[in-house]
Amino acid sequence: MVIKSVNLEIVCGVTSKLPATELCEVAFAGKSNVGKSSLINALMNRKSYARTSAQPGKTQTINFYNINEEIYFVDLPGYGYAKASKTEVAKWGQMIERYLKTSRQLKCVFLLVDIRHEPGNNDRLMYDWVVANGFTPVIIATKLDKINRSQTARQIKTIREGLGCGDAKIIPFSATTKQGREEIYEIIDKILEDTV
């Protein structure tokens, strides 16, 4: 995949009507501080186009990035943010669920989990949600550069067992070294081929 153009085209808040887009979509879901914006920026080849923040929970909207006029990268609100009120959290949850249920163009959900930790309740819940809505999520194990290479296989096993995701694809990824980016591009390229 060669990124020629990137445009943040649609931003949906809690009360917004979700768009009926013409292009296929891939969505990115994950906890507030899992490195979702960093991953999206790395995929888009942009330093800080998707807003990264030292303050987790900043993405409170669904952001549609038009890539090359052929696909949308859809950035879903981060979940599990401790400082958000229960009402806010419930609203984000409903928003994500509404998107998963109603998008006609959604082809793949990338679920991000931190490779350093065992998946938490929110991660398992999100995984189950995505599956319940008819998708097999691709798991992106972020922050690969924060662990020793020798720990990778063990941490992936921990994620696999923690999510109960069987033989789902797990891609270790580092926003710093860009390791894992080509594998993600391959999945997206295959989606584009299949939708032609």
Side-chain angles (χ1 to χ4, degrees):
M1 177 169 225
V2 180
I3 305 292
K4 301 187 187 94
S5 65
V6 170
N7 181 22
L8 174 55
E9 207 164 80
I10 305 161
V11 177
C12 289
V14 174
T15 54
S16 310
K17 186 174 184 293
L18 288 167
T21 65
E22 298 299 314
L23 304 178
C24 60
E25 300 164 7
V26 293
F28 298 87
K31 269 202 302 219
S32 300
N33 55 353
V34 77
K36 197 155 45 67
S37 299
S38 301
L39 166 75
I40 293 170
N41 283 326
L43 289 176
M44 296 192 302
N45 255 339
R46 302 290 190 274
K47 275 245 164 24
S48 54
Y49 201 95
R51 284 187 300 256
T52 53
S53 170
Q55 206 182 348
K58 266 288 188 237
T59 308
Q60 299 174 10
T61 50
I62 299 181
N63 299 331
F64 289 73
Y65 295 94
N66 184 329
I67 310 297
N68 297 346
E69 298 293 329
E70 58 182 0
I71 191 168
Y72 283 108
F73 287 179
V74 182
D75 184 7
L76 299 174
Y79 54 81
Y81 177 49
K83 286 189 182 159
S85 73
K86 282 206 169 76
T87 326
E88 267 182 319
V89 170
K91 277 184 188 158
W92 297 346
Q94 286 161 1
M95 193 153 105
I96 293 170
E97 192 172 26
R98 188 159 54 104
Y99 170 71
L100 291 176
K101 276 201 166 94
T102 60
S103 171
R104 292 206 181 92
Q105 298 289 1
L106 180 58
K107 306 297 179 198
C108 178
V109 178
F110 292 101
L111 177 59
L112 282 63
V113 290
D114 189 326
I115 199 164
R116 298 171 299 177
H117 310 298
E118 191 180 333
N121 284 338
N122 285 319
D123 295 316
R124 284 191 289 275
L125 199 62
M126 191 69 205
Y127 176 80
D128 292 343
W129 243 9
V130 173
V131 170
N133 281 288
F135 297 95
T136 304
V138 174
I139 314 300
I140 311 283
T142 61
K143 311 202 179 189
L144 178 63
D145 49 285
K146 308 275 192 208
I147 63 169
N148 294 328
R149 190 171 288 180
S150 59
Q151 297 173 288
T152 307
R154 191 182 69 217
Q155 290 307 110
I156 285 176
K157 185 169 181 271
T158 301
I159 289 169
R160 201 176 286 290
E161 288 169 357
L163 290 176
C165 64
D167 57 0
K169 191 165 188 59
I170 298 180
I171 301 174
F173 175 80
S174 162
T176 308
T177 66
K178 308 294 186 281
Q179 188 179 331
R181 182 167 69 173
E182 290 308 316
E183 278 183 84
I184 299 169
Y185 279 162
E186 277 171 28
I187 292 170
I188 295 170
D189 284 337
K190 177 89 176 68
I191 289 166
L192 287 169
E193 274 170 36
D194 292 348
T195 49
V196 169

